[in-house]
């Protein structure tokens, strides 16, 4: 009876603590005062989650989250983080421990650190991402719970920290579930772990949670308008905020309303003084947002993106998106990519290909990737993982997807290079799917109406050599995008005969096309898996795509070979999707030069 009461009490404590400490996402993390917790963390693999549940599936009174130590010789505690191995965080467990290469389940991580709290300040514990279901404990107490593998979250841990040594323990579970986003089946590696940066953020009791600064599309004579919005971490009225853009000689003061917000304030700028961000000139301005003696600094570019009929307009001028799709995987070998170095290498390969655009598939990539692309002048399509057969009828699944949209947009809303928010990829048609995605598209637009909404559709109506794109989602998107694999899932000799019918007066992006080849394998052009086969496939496809009315861009599949458990052909795939134009080691395949030449003519 005592054990049951103890368990119920502990469960109640954990739930109430989680509610008290979870806070909405903070943005501009790189501009704040932070203390990194990256480095070596101890870890324990917990196949049956015994560190969380007892054998009756109640909360384990001696759970790993307590970091318990024997107090006397006869005490039975069957784990010890201090004796456990370590791995690098951020990082995935699959490529750091060969026993965990295929593992899907729970791993516990522990990090000790020194901390001395400053009076009147608050401390947030920030995770760039952890895949997928994450519980966080600080000094044995539950700090919060997050679901989703590719979006950031932060927790106010001020009341949980103590002066001196502290312990953070994180339970990460990457098991696939039908109600998850993504769901049970997806064509990339399910890298588990704390895959992005971890840090402590020092903030005031009242701080700027996030802000948005966007260029309005309209030109009023010789003036342009910047739209400024801001949100504090709590509803505090009459907080003075100063917005400065020194190069433009802008210094404007605003006051927060009763909700702690500054909403849609407009600032007039001389059009002649404003240099717009573009791939050819990725101009960014130093922007300072100050309150109560503290200043957030960011580099922000200004541009407009819109459509006119079947044209895509960047800064009012037609543009063709010369793109490539990219997975968040390290450029030389497998493993989850993280950091500016990985981003720069991948994006440099894209630039060498002639790209001005990348599709960051199939989930929000790390912030370093987006910012480095902005610095290098590369436009971005950013996507959440509503991939294939989502549980469309499940309310919690929708809420999860909507939260991922929120987190994606809030983190990157000031990045000029992001022009498309994508809400799905290759989803089967049904009334439930249409309702789910239609609602999601409208929600994304309500958060940000300065960018375009799209999704990667499938061509579902085909008759011999005539393909017609019919999708009820067409009314919700600004850009009609679809995936096609003529030459891979259909004979490449059909490509010259194909007719594409797209009955929408909107720009068209071919969001995927391509086929596989193993680097260094050569043969006839009709021999599958050879570089010559892939080369010919690309040659026939680009000739076919040139005939599509309203074609505004492409993002072929994919920049480099990436790991996937669905690709099992020994000696060829070896658990890699081989559709890359680069091998997993960064070697160019022959198809690279076909696409590069085509892009040079665009």
């Amino acid at each position: 009876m005592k054990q049951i009461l103890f368990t119920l009490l502990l469960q109640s404590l954990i739930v109430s603590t989680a509610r008290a400490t979870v806070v909405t996402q903070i943005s501009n993390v790189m501009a704040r005062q932070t203390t990194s917790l990256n480095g070596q963390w101890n870890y324990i693999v917990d196949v049956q989650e015994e560190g969380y549940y007892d054998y009756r599936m109640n909360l384990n009174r001696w759970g790993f989250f307590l970091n318990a130590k024997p107090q006397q010789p006869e005490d039975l505690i069957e784990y010890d983080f201090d004796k456990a191995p370590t791995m690098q965080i951020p990082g995935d467990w699959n490529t750091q421990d060969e026993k965990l290469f295929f593992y899907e389940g729970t791993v516990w991580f522990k990090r000790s650190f020194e901390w001395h709290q400053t009076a009147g300040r608050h401390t947030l514990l920030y995770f760039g991402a952890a895949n997928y279901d994450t519980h966080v404990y600080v000094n044995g107490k539950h700090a919060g719970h997050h679901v989703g593998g590719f979006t950031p979250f932060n927790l106010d841990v001020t009341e949980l920290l103590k002066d001196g040594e502290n312990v953070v323990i994180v339970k990460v579970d990457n098991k696939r579930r039908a109600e998850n986003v993504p769901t049970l089946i997806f064509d990339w590696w399910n890298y588990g772990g704390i895959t992005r940066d971890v840090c402590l953020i020092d903030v005031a009791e009242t701080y700027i949670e996030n802000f948005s600064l966007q260029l309005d599309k309209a030109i009023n004579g010789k003036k342009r308008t910047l739209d400024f919005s801001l949100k504090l971490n709590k509803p505090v009225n009459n907080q003075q905020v100063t917005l400065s853009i020194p190069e433009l000689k802008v210094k404007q003061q605003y006051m927060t309303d009763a909700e702690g917000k500054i909403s849609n304030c407009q600032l007039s700028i001389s059009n002649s003084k404003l240099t717009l961000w573009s791939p050819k000139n990725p101009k960014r301005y130093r922007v300072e947002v100050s309150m109560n003696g503290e200043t957030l600094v960011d580099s922000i570019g200004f541009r407009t993106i819109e459509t006119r009929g079947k044209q895509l307009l960047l800064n009012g001028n037609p543009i063709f998106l010369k793109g490539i799709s990219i997975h968040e995987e390290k450029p030389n070998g497998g493993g989850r990519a993280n950091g500016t170095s990985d981003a720069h290498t991948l994006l440099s390969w894209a630039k060498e290909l002639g790209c001005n655009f990348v599709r960051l598939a199939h989930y929000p990539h790390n912030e370093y990737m987006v910012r480095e692309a902005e610095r290098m002048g590369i436009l971005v399509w950013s996507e959440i993982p509503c991939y294939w057969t989502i549980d469309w009828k499940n309310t919690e699944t929708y809420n999860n997807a909507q939260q991922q949209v929120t987190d994606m947009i809030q983190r990157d809303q000031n990045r000029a290079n992001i022009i498309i928010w994508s809400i799905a990829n290759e989803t089967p048609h049904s009334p439930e799917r249409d309702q789910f995605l239609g609602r999601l598209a409208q929600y994304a637009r309500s958060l940000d109406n300065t960018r375009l909404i799209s999704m990667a559709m499938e061509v579902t109506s085909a008759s011999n050599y005539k393909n017609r794109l019919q999708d009820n989602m067409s009314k919700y998107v600004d850009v009609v995008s679809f995936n096609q694999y003529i030459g891979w899932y259909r004979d490449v000799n059909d490509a010259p005969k194909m007719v594409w019918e797209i009955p929408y007066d909107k720009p068209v992006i071919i969001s995927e096309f391509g086929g596989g080849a193993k680097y260094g394998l050569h043969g006839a052009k009709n021999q599958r898996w050879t570089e010559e086969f892939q080369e010919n496939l690309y040659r026939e496809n680009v000739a076919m795509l040139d005939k599509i009315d309203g074609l505004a861009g492409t993002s072929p599949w994919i920049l480099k070979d990436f790991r996937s458990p669905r690709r099992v052909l020994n000696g060829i795939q070896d658990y890699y999707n081989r559709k890359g134009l680069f091998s997993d080691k960064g070697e160019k395949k022959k198809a690279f030069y076909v696409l590069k030449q085509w892009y040079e003519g665009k």
Side-chain angles (χ1 to χ4, degrees):
M1 184 65 181
K2 288 182 179 180
Q3 180 174 346
I4 294 173
L5 289 174
F6 179 86
T7 299
L8 291 174
L9 178 62
L10 194 55
Q11 288 173 328
S12 175
L13 175 63
I14 285 175
V15 171
S16 63
T17 305
R19 287 175 180 166
T21 58
V22 173
V23 293
T24 52
Q25 183 191 146
I26 190 172
S27 61
N28 297 92
V29 171
M30 297 176 184
R32 300 177 190 268
Q33 182 177 335
T34 62
T35 300
S36 176
L37 294 184
N38 293 348
Q40 294 295 312
W41 289 51
N42 297 95
Y43 69 98
I44 296 174
V45 182
D46 190 6
V47 178
Q48 294 193 15
E49 295 190 288
E50 62 177 327
Y52 193 71
Y53 300 109
D54 66 16
Y55 74 109
R56 302 292 189 193
M57 291 303 293
N58 296 311
L59 194 66
N60 189 344
R61 62 181 297 184
W62 303 115
F64 293 177
F65 44 85
L66 295 175
N67 192 35
K69 303 293 182 185
Q71 300 301 306
Q72 45 196 2
E74 62 268 27
D75 285 347
L76 176 63
I77 298 176
E78 297 184 273
Y79 70 95
D80 188 343
F81 277 106
D82 296 330
K83 294 180 180 178
T86 63
M87 72 169 60
Q88 180 68 28
I89 300 299
D92 60 89
W93 64 55
N94 312 78
T95 57
Q96 295 193 72
D97 184 339
E98 63 181 10
K99 298 189 300 296
L100 302 179
F101 185 65
F102 289 105
Y103 180 67
E104 294 182 325
T106 288
V107 175
W108 295 80
F109 297 90
K110 175 254 183 184
R111 170 73 189 263
S112 298
F113 61 94
E114 286 283 326
W115 188 251
H116 301 282
Q117 188 70 39
T118 302
R121 306 289 292 181
H122 279 238
T123 303
L124 307 183
L125 176 56
Y126 176 87
F127 293 81
N131 189 33
Y132 173 82
D133 187 298
T134 306
H135 284 272
V136 180
Y137 302 84
V138 176
N139 295 324
K141 296 181 180 179
H142 194 264
H145 177 217
H146 180 264
V147 177
F150 305 98
T151 52
F153 61 99
N154 45 265
L155 313 163
D156 190 332
V157 295
T158 308
E159 300 301 321
L160 303 181
L161 293 172
K162 58 187 179 182
D163 198 59
E165 183 173 295
N166 292 264
V167 176
V168 173
I169 292 177
V170 182
K171 175 184 181 290
V172 184
D173 182 356
N174 75 330
K175 286 193 294 291
R176 291 166 294 117
R177 294 180 172 88
E179 67 275 14
N180 286 358
V181 181
T183 185
L184 288 169
I185 301 174
F186 44 89
D187 188 15
W188 67 85
W189 206 266
N190 188 24
Y191 290 114
I194 305 172
T195 56
R196 297 180 189 165
D197 290 345
V198 186
C199 67
L200 297 167
I201 308 175
D202 176 71
V203 293
E205 183 178 347
T206 301
Y207 60 89
I208 298 169
E209 190 172 83
N210 61 64
F211 71 89
S212 170
L213 187 62
Q214 304 289 338
L215 178 65
D216 194 277
K217 296 182 179 70
I219 302 177
N220 300 314
K222 296 181 179 180
K223 296 291 186 179
R224 302 296 297 253
T225 300
L226 295 179
D227 296 320
F228 177 63
S229 298
L230 177 144
K231 181 179 180 295
L232 303 181
N233 64 305
K234 57 185 179 180
V236 179
N237 195 20
N238 293 325
Q239 288 286 304
Q240 181 175 290
V241 174
T242 302
L243 168 66
S244 299
I245 311 175
E247 190 175 343
L248 295 176
K249 295 182 171 52
V250 168
K251 190 169 186 179
Q252 185 70 39
Q253 293 180 341
Y254 304 93
M255 303 297 288
T256 60
D257 61 19
E259 295 181 337
K261 295 180 179 180
I262 297 169
S263 301
N264 301 319
C265 290
Q266 295 189 327
L267 182 67
S268 184
I269 301 290
S270 172
N271 190 40
S272 62
K273 293 182 180 179
L274 190 63
T275 300
L276 300 186
W277 185 99
S278 71
K280 292 182 179 179
N281 183 20
K283 169 67 177 176
R284 296 177 297 165
Y285 291 89
R286 178 183 173 91
V287 174
E288 303 168 357
V289 182
S290 304
M291 186 183 77
N292 295 335
E294 294 187 307
T295 301
L296 291 178
V297 178
D298 201 352
S299 294
I300 297 179
F302 304 113
R303 57 93 193 98
T304 63
I305 186 70
E306 54 193 323
T307 65
R308 183 173 59 207
K310 295 190 176 185
Q311 286 187 316
L312 193 63
L313 304 179
L314 179 69
N315 300 327
N317 300 311
I319 186 172
F320 185 85
L321 301 179
K322 298 181 282 189
I324 194 71
S325 296
I326 302 179
H327 260 303
E328 191 178 81
E329 201 166 87
K330 287 187 175 295
N332 298 293
R336 183 62 70 209
N338 46 65
T340 300
S341 177
D342 289 339
H344 182 77
T345 299
L346 292 169
L347 293 169
S348 294
W349 293 353
K351 291 279 281 190
E352 188 178 356
L353 183 58
C355 295
N356 61 8
F357 169 69
V358 292
R359 178 186 179 210
L360 300 183
H362 284 293
Y363 38 78
H365 286 217
N366 65 77
E367 190 170 356
Y368 295 106
M369 186 69 166
V370 178
R371 286 181 175 267
E372 184 65 7
E374 182 182 46
R375 188 192 67 80
M376 295 173 67
I378 301 176
L379 296 159
V380 164
W381 159 313
S382 186
E383 186 168 285
I384 65 162
C386 282
Y387 185 92
W388 290 355
T389 310
I390 293 291
D391 188 356
W392 307 115
K393 299 179 182 180
N394 189 319
T395 300
E396 287 305 310
T397 301
Y398 175 82
N399 292 340
N400 184 343
Q402 180 171 293
Q403 187 61 53
Q404 292 191 45
V405 167
T406 303
D407 294 341
M408 173 178 69
I409 291 177
Q410 285 189 351
R411 191 194 72 180
D412 294 331
Q413 61 189 339
N414 291 323
R415 305 281 65 83
N417 59 329
I418 295 183
I419 56 171
I420 294 173
W421 300 123
S422 172
I423 57 170
N425 176 80
E426 291 184 357
T427 51
H429 297 192
S430 70
E432 293 80 14
R433 170 264 201 181
D434 294 346
Q435 182 180 13
F436 184 111
L437 293 182
R439 182 182 172 193
L440 200 60
Q442 292 172 315
Y443 175 75
R445 199 182 305 282
S446 74
L447 293 183
D448 180 8
N449 62 6
T450 70
R451 292 176 173 85
L452 307 176
I453 304 296
S454 193
M455 58 177 284
M457 304 175 184
E458 292 181 298
V459 175
T460 57
S461 177
S463 176
N464 293 326
Y465 301 109
K466 185 174 182 179
N467 293 279
R468 180 178 173 86
L469 181 65
Q470 290 182 305
D471 196 312
N472 293 332
M473 285 300 297
S474 62
K475 63 184 177 183
Y476 295 103
V477 299
D478 301 297
V479 179
V480 175
S481 307
F482 65 93
N483 302 344
Q484 66 82 20
Y485 282 94
I486 305 299
W488 191 248
Y489 300 119
R490 181 166 175 164
D491 193 333
V492 73
N493 295 312
D494 289 346
K497 308 170 189 175
M498 301 303 296
V499 176
W500 298 91
E501 186 177 338
I502 304 168
Y504 310 114
D505 188 29
K506 297 181 178 183
V508 175
I509 294 177
I510 308 302
S511 37
E512 292 180 25
F513 74 89
K518 183 174 182 179
Y519 174 79
L521 180 62
H522 296 285
K525 67 179 184 180
N526 66 342
Q527 182 182 345
R528 197 175 285 265
W529 302 114
T530 64
E531 288 193 46
E532 287 74 16
F533 184 97
Q534 187 189 44
E535 176 188 40
N536 183 59
L537 183 154
Y538 266 79
R539 187 175 290 116
E540 295 293 343
N541 265 263
V542 297
M544 175 186 67
L545 298 181
D546 272 330
K547 302 174 185 177
I548 294 180
D549 181 41
L551 185 67
T554 66
S555 52
W557 195 257
I558 186 170
L559 181 68
K560 68 171 287 288
D561 294 350
F562 62 94
R563 282 195 166 119
S564 171
R566 297 175 62 83
R567 310 298 174 169
V568 300
L569 181 60
N570 291 337
I572 298 292
Q573 293 172 312
D574 299 318
Y575 297 108
Y576 274 95
N577 185 310
R578 297 294 184 189
K579 293 186 178 73
L581 297 179
F582 287 82
S583 75
D584 57 293
K585 295 180 176 61
E587 303 146 318
K588 295 185 186 73
K589 303 177 191 177
K590 297 183 74 172
F592 169 94
Y593 300 99
V594 176
L595 186 62
K596 178 179 174 65
Q597 183 179 27
W598 188 58
Y599 280 162
E600 287 172 351
K602 290 293 182 184

